Amino acid sequence: MQIAIFDTHAFDRLALTAANERYGFDLTFFEPRLTSTTATLAAGFRVVCPFVNDRLDADALTLLHRGGARLIALRSAGYNHVDLRAAATLGLPVVRVPEYSPYAVAEHAAALMLALNRKIHRAFSRVREANFSLDGLVGFDVHGKTVGVVGTGRIGAVMARIMCGFGCRVLASDIQPNEQLANELPLRYVDLPELYRESDIVSLHVPLTPATRHLIDATALRYMKRGVMLINTGRGALIDTRALIDALKRGHVGAAGLDVYEEEEGIFFRDLSDQVLQDDVLARLLTFPNVLVTSHQAFLTTEALANIAGTTLANVRAFERGEVLLNEVRAEHVLRDV
Ligand code: NAI
């Protein structure tokens, strides 16, 4: 079975090659992102394996199908970058990796929170310049603070546990509350306005769907406490970035830790250090001392990469054998989330 792997990075190549020792598939690694412009590279491949910032719109999917693709094997949990209706019309099944390490992502959310609070990013630069002053580095005790976890699926549940471990009061919101979690942890489900009003820190762990796009807009931000810390390791478009910038400028948002950005496609995962950054909104975000942006790296642990590679190839094996595709994602799944 020939598999065309797009947006390949050194870490993917290593993990997929290691996982493939068990399967013996014919892997071809392409560096470009998969879009309607690059889709013809996959001509002749039955399986196409895109990454999280590839764009599988109707045009790209049609070209892939015309080129012989019969399975789209996403090496991500999120599937908001795929036009699932177009895939269904073409009869192209889409499989994903629903879970690879909720710990990787939740731990990164906690890392952003702690680094921002104690201003580690600023302290690191200062000390390297032999500036040992402490002015402007005052943080707060996380212990005793109220943390709002939006979305208590796999990742949000781990985040809630971590925050309980810090001695925080944890409020949660989810369209499908996790009763077991609520029984196990000192956690309370509340509606979103209450979560916003009460929380010192808000961390986002819902998928991007039509219902969650710009979940954090100017109105939601107005509900939040002055000085709130916002953490987003979900998807960039959960936040209306312009509204966030406005709230940061007014000091209403005290800090923002962002692993994702709504216009990250074509920017994140690339070394653009010798170019002029063309995205003015991102450029503005990067000027704030109280904003920490990472380049969609929350998933990036050895364990997560091994799991992503293993499940991706297991999905392909199930397809090859004509078995039920347990990790298939369909258009109606998105509608269920709305
Ligand atoms: P999950 O499916 O286990 O949990 C998502 C939760 O969100 C579910 O409990 C669901 O009921 C809830 N939800 C869905 N729509 C909602 C709405 N409108 N309002 C309130 N709650 C809603 O997903 P998981 O594994 O926890 O991942 C969450 C998201 O994290 C993914 O969809 C993905 O976008 C993002 N992610 C980011 C990564 C990164 O590297 N930054 C890596 C992996 C995932």
Side-chain angles (χ1 to χ4, degrees):
M1 183 74 76
Q2 288 187 308
I3 310 179
I5 297 154
F6 279 84
D7 200 9
T8 306
H9 304 267
F11 54 80
D12 292 310
R13 199 182 282 261
L14 273 174
L16 283 161
T17 305
N20 197 36
E21 280 177 20
R22 197 168 147 201
Y23 295 95
F25 293 130
D26 184 355
L27 308 183
T28 300
F29 295 99
F30 294 105
E31 282 183 19
R33 279 174 53 226
L34 176 56
T35 63
S36 53
T37 315
T38 58
T40 47
L41 285 171
F45 289 84
R46 266 174 70 76
V47 179
V48 174
C49 180
F51 197 34
V52 70
N53 277 335
D54 293 338
R55 186 182 299 176
L56 287 95
D57 55 17
D59 288 345
L61 289 164
T62 305
L63 286 168
L64 292 174
H65 187 259
R66 207 175 285 156
R70 292 297 175 263
L71 178 72
I72 305 294
L74 305 177
R75 50 185 205 284
S76 61
Y79 45 83
N80 51 285
H81 52 308
V82 187
D83 183 337
L84 292 174
R85 284 180 195 287
T89 308
L90 291 163
L92 247 184
V94 178
V95 287
R96 64 170 182 146
V97 183
E99 175 173 347
Y100 41 86
S101 170
Y103 308 105
V105 184
E107 287 169 13
H108 191 75
L112 286 173
M113 181 186 296
L114 294 175
L116 269 172
N117 174 34
R118 304 306 295 270
K119 301 166 177 65
I120 302 296
H121 53 306
R122 303 187 64 199
F124 175 77
S125 313
R126 272 192 198 185
V127 168
R128 287 169 68 94
E129 299 276 320
N131 175 355
F132 299 101
S133 142
L134 296 181
D135 290 339
L137 298 185
V138 179
F140 55 79
D141 283 9
V142 172
H143 178 91
K145 294 294 178 295
T146 300
V147 178
V149 177
V150 182
T152 52
R154 299 172 185 91
I155 297 168
V158 174
M159 187 63 179
R161 277 181 222 284
I162 292 173
M163 290 299 106
C164 286
F166 269 91
C168 295
R169 172 182 172 234
V170 178
L171 300 179
S173 185
D174 196 299
I175 45 170
Q176 289 179 306
N178 179 340
E179 276 179 35
Q180 197 189 331
L181 193 72
N183 290 335
E184 203 182 307
L185 298 179
L187 159 160
R188 193 159 64 86
Y189 278 98
V190 294
D191 59 19
L192 276 176
E194 184 176 349
L195 182 145
Y196 295 155
R197 265 198 316 273
E198 294 282 317
S199 299
D200 301 293
I201 300 166
V202 173
S203 192
L204 306 178
H205 302 287
V206 287
L208 179 63
T209 68
T212 60
R213 181 172 294 274
H214 287 188
L215 182 73
I216 307 298
D217 58 6
T219 310
L221 289 165
R222 261 197 302 277
Y223 273 113
M224 293 184 198
K225 279 186 183 178
R226 186 169 175 82
V228 65
M229 179 188 286
L230 188 58
I231 303 292
N232 187 10
T233 57
R235 282 291 179 268
L238 297 176
I239 297 180
D240 176 347
T241 314
R242 287 170 196 276
L244 172 63
I245 288 175
D246 184 52
L248 281 160
K249 282 165 76 177
R250 287 184 286 107
H252 188 75
V253 168
L258 311 172
D259 185 51
V260 283
Y261 166 58
E262 53 183 327
E263 301 297 335
E264 70 182 52
E265 232 184 86
I267 301 178
F268 283 14
F269 308 146
R270 301 273 170 271
D271 179 0
L272 303 178
S273 55
D274 60 352
Q275 297 180 28
V276 174
L277 186 57
Q278 296 298 320
D279 185 320
D280 291 349
V281 176
L282 178 58
R284 181 67 179 102
L285 265 183
L286 297 176
T287 65
F288 290 99
N290 50 350
V291 172
L292 193 46
V293 177
T294 51
S295 180
H296 204 142
Q297 70 173 72
F299 72 97
L300 200 59
T301 67
T302 311
E303 292 80 359
L305 289 170
N307 291 338
I308 291 169
T311 304
T312 300
L313 299 185
N315 285 340
V316 176
R317 174 55 48 88
F319 167 77
E320 184 182 46
R321 290 184 174 162
E323 293 167 5
V324 176
L325 298 176
L326 295 174
N327 294 326
E328 184 170 6
V329 53
R330 299 202 191 94
E332 56 265 32
H333 294 158
V334 182
L335 291 176
R336 206 187 49 207
D337 276 345
V338 172

